[in-house]
């Protein structure tokens, strides 16, 4: 059975298409992968391809749910999306707010060429050209389609195995999978977390190590793991897969760590006073960043996530273990920040200028923001040295995949400014569809922070907001030295100020 999805770019949206038309043939075995059938996966393919009309062709044999390759099947998809000659047209709700990862979060690329040498579907593509000719938007582009309209989707995944799929009432289905990645001349083993509602955004990615009888097994492959998982009575039952948190591999997370050097005077002073740097991390995913900051830097980390299902999966599959200096709270990150800001205000340490701003903002809002107003810990300094925001908006149709609009409100941004120690930094993972949506974020930050900086990695713009501009970076301090030991120093050269 051939299933055809036809997607048109919004008539008055963002990211003007660079090509009129393209088609993607879904790779064999991935016909039901959320990337190719879930609504937000389809939208993200359209925007990533940067075309006016995108046709997605899937040769399906529907059988049910997600298989051991991490793929669902056609009957698992919304009928109004994956149908013969179905159309997804521009919606009026494409607006300028919106993403853990993420976001998380990495957006895979659509590679605009075909390698015929490795393409086993050349004959099928020739047969399907008349259909594509009919689907071409002749009205808008009378000169006709290109001779070769096909583009390919590349994510480097050569094999995958489902660890668990769990349903969340807030996020829908959540997939934990082990994968093998092609990386030049070597194979990388990774564990990932993905959400069905944003399948192209990798929420978490960590290295994994195979163990057999309690010892590392370097010669084991993912195929061996799949055999054991599919046969609970296998003689290889001693095979175990463990996450490895000795390094950060999720592509934009090193940028977050590198940019902390902007706050090095504050962090260094804290460390020299033999106190722990306090970090609030909003958006947990699998917990890769909180775990790394706790273990490698010995920070005190409070990780916050709204979804208890995400927290449960992080504990069982990503090695998240709480202790005195790594704590997890299931709560809205906005409420947590506002709650810290209120404690700081009650302590009497806030400047008169920020106190007046807070009073103006909250005069009509105190009753609609649910915060823990308990005063039992008011004697403890609640401020953070670092606040990291890494949350996706959950809608690929938006101009801003990350963060959600609730984290761009004046109440949250002023709350974050108040909740930070002097010299502290707010870190925000931003995934904009275009420069206009990025400017919406930076303009919102500039109202409360004078120093705005970024490190860009592909679609991710990691922003750093400080109360004052950074005049000079002290790369010789002990904190900077520790940062440069765990990330590529080239990232420091990519720090740029946003005026």
């Amino acid at each position: 059975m051939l299933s055809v999805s036809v997607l048109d770019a919004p008539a008055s949206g963002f990211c003007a298409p660079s090509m009129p038309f393209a088609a993607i043939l879904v790779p064999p075995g991935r016909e039901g992968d959320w990337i190719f059938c879930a609504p937000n996966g389809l939208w993200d393919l359209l925007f990533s391809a940067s075309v006016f009309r995108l046709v997605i062709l899937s040769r399906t044999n529907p059988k049910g749910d997600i298989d051991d390759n991490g793929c669902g099947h056609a009957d698992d998809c919304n009928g109004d999306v994956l149908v013969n000659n179905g159309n997804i047209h521009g919606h009026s709700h494409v607006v300028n707010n919106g993403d853990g990862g993420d976001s998380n979060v990495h957006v895979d690329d659509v590679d605009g060429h075909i390698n015929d040498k490795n393409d086993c579907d050349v004959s099928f593509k020739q047969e399907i050209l008349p259909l594509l000719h009919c689907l071409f938007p002749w009205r808008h582009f009378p000169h006709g389609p290109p001779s070769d309209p096909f583009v390919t989707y590349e994510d480097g995944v050569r094999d995958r195995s489902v660890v668990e799929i769990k349903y969340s009432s807030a996020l829908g289905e959540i997939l934990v999978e082990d994968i093998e990645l092609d990386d030049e001349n070597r194979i990388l083993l990774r564990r990932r977390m993905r959400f069905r509602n944003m399948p192209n955004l990798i929420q978490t990615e960590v290295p994994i190590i195979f163990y057999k009888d309690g010892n590392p097994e370097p010669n084991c492959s993912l195929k061996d793991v799949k055999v054991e998982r599919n046969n609970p009575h296998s003689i290889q039952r001693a095979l175990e897969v463990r996450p490895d948190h000795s390094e950060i591999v999720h592509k934009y997370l090193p940028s977050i760590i590198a940019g902390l050097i902007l706050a090095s005077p504050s962090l260094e002073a804290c460390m020299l006073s033999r106190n722990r740097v306090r970090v609030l991390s909003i958006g947990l995913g699998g917990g890769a960043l909180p775990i790394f900051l706790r273990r490698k830097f010995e920070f005190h980390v409070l990780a916050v996530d709204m979804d208890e299902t995400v927290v449960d999966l992080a504990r069982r599959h990503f090695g998240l273990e709480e202790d005195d200096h790594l704590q997890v709270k299931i709560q809205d990150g906005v409420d947590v920040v506002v709650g810290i800001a209120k404690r700081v205000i009650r302590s009497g340490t806030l400047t008169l200028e920020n106190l007046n701003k807070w009073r103006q903002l909250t005069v009509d809002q105190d009753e609609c923001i649910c915060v823990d107003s308990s005063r039992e810990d008011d004697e403890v300094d609640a401020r953070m040295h670092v606040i990291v925001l890494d949350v996706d908006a959950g809608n690929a149709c938006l101009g801003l995949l990350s963060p959600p609009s609730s984290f761009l409100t004046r109440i949250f941004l002023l709350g974050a400014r108040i909740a930070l120690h002097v010299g502290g930094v707010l870190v925000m993972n931003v995934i904009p569809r275009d420069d206009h949506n990025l400017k919406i974020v930076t303009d919102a930050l500039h109202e409360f922070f004078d120093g705005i900086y970024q490190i860009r990695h592909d679609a991710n713009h990691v922003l750093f907001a400080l109360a004052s501009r950074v005049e000079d970076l002290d790369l010789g301090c002990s904190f900077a030295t520790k940062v440069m030991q765990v990330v590529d120093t080239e990232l420091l050269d990519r720090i740029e100020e946003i005026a």
Side-chain angles (χ1 to χ4, degrees), residues 250-286:
H250 203 168
K251 294 184 178 180
Y252 68 93
L253 293 186
S255 297
I256 292 178
I257 295 170
L260 296 182
I261 208 165
L262 292 162
S264 58
S266 175
L267 307 189
E268 179 84 355
C270 179
M271 294 166 65
L272 291 176
S273 65
R274 299 186 180 277
N275 291 316
R276 288 181 183 261
V277 171
R278 290 171 53 84
V279 178
L280 172 62
S281 183
I282 303 173
L284 179 67

Side-chain angles (χ1 to χ4, degrees), residues 255-256 259-260 262 387-389 400 402-403 408 425-432 437-445 451-456 460-466 496-498:
S255 297
I256 292 178
L260 296 182
L262 292 162
I387 298 176
V388 179
L389 175 60
L400 199 59
S402 172
L408 297 178
V425 60
L426 169 64
V427 185
M428 188 179 288
N429 180 34
V430 180
I431 308 178
N437 284 284
L438 176 63
K439 190 174 187 301
I440 290 173
V441 179
T442 57
D443 285 351
L445 289 170
I452 311 294
Y453 303 84
Q454 77 163 338
I455 300 177
R456 182 174 181 177
N460 298 79
H461 296 250
V462 181
L463 302 187
F464 304 88
L466 298 96
E496 56 180 316
E497 185 172 8
I498 300 178

